[in-house]
Amino acid sequence: MSKNPNIDLYRHLSFAAVGGFFGAYAILCRCGVLASAQTMNLLELTIEALRGDGLAVLLHFGALALYVLGTMLTVLLPHYLHVDMHLAVPVIDAAACVLLCFIPADANVILSLYPIFFAMSVQWSSFAGARGFVSSTIFSTNNTKQASLAFAEYITDGDREHFKKLRFYVFTLLAFHFGAAVSFLAVRLMGVRGAWVNIILAAGAFYMVLCENKYNAIKA
């Protein structure tokens, strides 16, 4: 595997599966809230502020602060402590899974999703894509857009490069929703403790990072 030139793609897809698991887990276990990004959180923060609900505002602000902190740490840790964030991300993902398993099912929705807010911000800021394509492993909007554009461009001029782009984004979407499907089964069987299953996906992602690092070392 470490000699495979497509190893960055496999690493990308493995993290997309982890992101898909977390996204579906949050929706399934915490009242349909998606904790992989900040759009919904910031909208709810604004709405709760207008309603005058101070506690809700603080909880949403806490989620924002964790997301910002996670993003900043991807710059600060390598700079000051020489941390390899590519290796650190799957460890952080696994730690988030452990924390999620110990949060009661009846806990406050936003507070219970803090581990995902943090872990997904670190993952998104550490991995920007693969094969020369910019792509998120924690949500699907831009991946869907890019797949649609590539398909339209391929229909227009038949350039195989557009097809390669289409294939990349389609595989990313499939990996993401594979993770979501695994999450559905895990939650159905184990409830909130189903987060344990994502540790397996995170371990697979960790292995792919090791293989990619070895491939890059051989290539250099």
Side-chain angles (χ1 to χ4, degrees):
M1 182 64 74
S2 60
K3 296 181 180 180
N4 193 314
N6 293 318
I7 187 59
D8 65 329
L9 173 62
Y10 300 144
R11 179 264 300 159
H12 173 74
L13 297 179
S14 65
F15 276 106
V18 173
F21 187 104
F22 274 129
Y25 177 90
I27 291 171
L28 291 165
C29 292
R30 304 299 175 183
C31 302
V33 176
L34 178 65
S36 299
Q38 279 298 296
T39 303
M40 185 174 181
N41 183 59
L42 289 173
L43 286 172
E44 290 188 337
L45 189 157
T46 302
I47 292 169
E48 298 298 352
L50 293 172
R51 287 174 175 168
D53 190 335
L55 177 58
V57 169
L58 285 175
L59 289 171
H60 285 292
F61 185 80
L64 171 63
L66 278 175
Y67 202 90
V68 171
L69 175 63
T71 301
M72 291 178 64
L73 286 177
T74 62
V75 176
L76 298 176
L77 290 179
H79 181 77
Y80 289 108
L81 299 178
H82 308 292
V83 174
D84 184 340
M85 292 308 299
H86 284 192
L87 289 173
V89 168
V91 175
I92 292 171
D93 286 342
C97 293
V98 174
L99 288 174
L100 289 169
C101 289
F102 290 98
I103 299 175
D106 58 354
N108 177 274
V109 173
I110 300 302
L111 187 62
S112 65
L113 292 174
Y114 275 14
I116 297 180
F117 280 115
F118 180 77
M120 291 296 89
S121 69
V122 175
Q123 182 171 312
W124 172 219
S125 299
S126 299
F127 295 102
R131 304 281 81 190
F133 299 111
V134 176
S135 174
S136 170
T137 58
I138 68 171
F139 48 80
S140 295
T141 303
N142 190 60
N143 293 328
T144 303
K145 171 190 172 183
Q146 294 300 329
S148 302
L149 289 173
F151 187 41
E153 290 164 346
Y154 179 69
I155 292 174
T156 301
D157 58 23
D159 189 335
R160 294 288 297 178
E161 289 302 313
H162 297 318
F163 185 76
K164 290 180 182 179
K165 179 180 178 181
L166 171 64
R167 185 172 57 185
F168 171 83
Y169 284 105
V170 167
F171 280 147
T172 301
L173 290 167
L174 289 174
F176 183 86
H177 290 91
F178 167 77
V182 173
S183 180
F184 173 81
L185 295 174
V187 171
R188 188 168 185 177
L189 291 172
M190 304 169 64
V192 294
R193 294 182 183 273
W196 284 110
V197 177
N198 203 23
I199 296 177
I200 299 173
L201 298 180
F206 184 80
Y207 173 72
M208 289 300 171
V209 171
L210 291 176
C211 290
E212 183 180 20
N213 287 349
K214 187 174 182 179
Y215 173 80
N216 290 335
I218 294 172
K219 187 178 178 181

